Amino acid sequence: MYWFPYLSLAINLIVIRYMPKRLTKKEIYVSWVVIALINLSTDVMLSFYFRLYELNGGGVQLGVHIIELTLGASFGIIFLNFMPESKRSFFFYTAAWVIFSLLFEMVTVKLNFINYFSWKWWYSAPYYFAAFLFVRWHLHFIRSN
């Protein structure tokens, strides 16, 4: 079911276009590439190598790779743009994003874009938490150099 991920991507791109920018164009560009490559490599490893789940049916599909390179990165840019600086606020902000990410994933499962084999939905929670911690570090790293 390609319509839901592509609709989500279109909405994200509209949000990114019109949101008040707290990120520079360089930060958006570098973060987009890093997040997209991590997302793609993670899905290739977990889906093709370990066969824990599949995206939109089996095999390599151009449409799926387009989604892998754009959808997660677009969510990451929105996350980074509105990310609070204080650690306390960041904790609650990240918790809300982890819950949102799990709900979004569950919708994609219900719409048969993601098919679990031996993956459980709650395995994704620590992955999302680690991903949000990483992108926070990543933005601080970019800004420090």
Side-chain angles (χ1 to χ4, degrees):
M1 299 289 293
Y2 282 115
W3 70 267
F4 182 69
Y6 278 109
L7 175 63
S8 302
L9 175 61
I11 291 168
N12 285 358
L13 293 176
I14 291 168
V15 168
I16 290 169
R17 170 69 177 94
Y18 293 105
M19 69 186 180
K21 304 293 188 297
R22 295 171 55 191
L23 301 171
T24 66
K25 289 179 183 180
K26 181 187 268 186
E27 290 168 346
I28 291 172
Y29 175 76
V30 172
S31 297
W32 187 290
V33 170
V34 168
I35 294 167
L37 291 176
I38 290 172
N39 189 46
L40 179 63
S41 61
T42 301
D43 278 343
V44 165
M45 184 177 59
L46 296 177
S47 178
F48 291 132
Y49 185 73
F50 290 112
R51 298 287 300 154
L52 299 176
Y53 56 84
E54 66 183 9
L55 302 175
N56 204 50
V60 176
Q61 301 170 51
L62 179 60
V64 170
H65 288 313
I66 291 169
I67 289 298
E68 289 178 308
L69 291 171
T70 56
L71 186 59
S74 67
F75 278 121
I77 298 304
I78 295 168
F79 173 85
L80 283 173
N81 190 70
F82 296 106
M83 180 179 67
E85 287 295 321
S86 78
K87 289 181 182 176
R88 179 176 166 80
S89 297
F90 174 75
F91 173 79
F92 290 110
Y93 180 74
T94 301
W97 269 89
V98 168
I99 292 167
F100 168 76
S101 299
L102 290 170
L103 293 173
F104 187 87
E105 183 176 317
M106 286 182 212
V107 169
T108 61
V109 169
K110 289 291 184 193
L111 294 173
N112 294 318
F113 182 74
I114 299 176
N115 298 305
Y116 292 153
F117 298 134
S118 55
W119 191 262
K120 306 290 185 229
W121 68 268
W122 53 271
Y123 293 175
S124 298
Y127 173 81
Y128 292 135
F129 185 73
F132 292 131
L133 288 176
F134 172 79
V135 295
R136 179 179 174 94
W137 170 85
H138 165 78
L139 184 60
H140 287 292
F141 177 78
I142 291 172
R143 288 180 173 171
S144 70
N145 290 320

